[in-house]
Amino acid sequence: MVTATLDSDTCVECGAKDGIFVETEDDGPPFHNGCRCALLFLLPGEKPYRQTFRQWLKAQDAATQDKLLGKAKGKLYRAGKVSVSGFVDVRGNELTLDQLKRRERRKPK
């Protein structure tokens, strides 16, 4: 399982990957230069006892959320319009505001 460092320097890409299970070590961190994620090895059926990035971010004040996400994305997050995993594409790359807007327009109404 991928574990991200839970602090105000954690990037969105790593935050979105926090708590996901990977098939092999090759699928795990490091995900980018300076990545502070690690793999947590669990026994079958074992559950990690730790707070997730999503839980941690939700408990932070608006200033910390804005530092991590940017002001516009922080506002979308607090309004419940985009989740942490919604800020990245299927490959785990952070989406720009324009990409988020295009994706929102493509959603069926």
Side-chain angles (χ1 to χ4, degrees):
M1 182 181 89
V2 174
T3 62
T5 302
L6 304 182
D7 64 20
S8 62
D9 291 325
T10 303
C11 68
V12 174
E13 293 96 336
C14 290
K17 291 175 182 159
D18 183 55
I20 66 166
F21 289 88
V22 294
E23 294 294 319
T24 68
E25 288 183 56
D26 294 337
D27 299 329
F31 298 116
H32 56 80
N33 230 0
C35 183
R36 299 177 302 143
C37 288
L39 283 178
L40 177 63
F41 295 93
L42 301 171
L43 297 172
E46 183 180 11
K47 295 193 181 215
Y49 183 74
R50 65 180 283 280
Q51 185 178 43
T52 66
F53 179 79
R54 290 159 189 79
Q55 294 165 328
W56 178 84
L57 184 62
K58 187 176 181 180
Q60 301 307 304
D61 60 18
T64 302
Q65 292 171 350
D66 288 351
K67 179 182 177 195
L68 288 164
L69 303 171
K71 288 189 184 222
K73 290 179 183 177
K75 196 172 185 179
L76 289 171
Y77 172 77
R78 286 187 294 281
K81 294 184 178 185
V82 183
S83 66
V84 172
S85 59
F87 288 115
V88 297
D89 64 17
V90 294
R91 292 178 299 281
N93 300 311
E94 186 174 2
L95 298 171
T96 65
L97 285 172
D98 286 339
Q99 290 169 319
L100 287 170
K101 287 176 189 173
R102 282 195 300 270
R103 185 175 68 185
E104 188 62 32
R105 284 194 298 260
R106 288 193 303 259
K107 282 185 181 177
K109 302 279 178 182

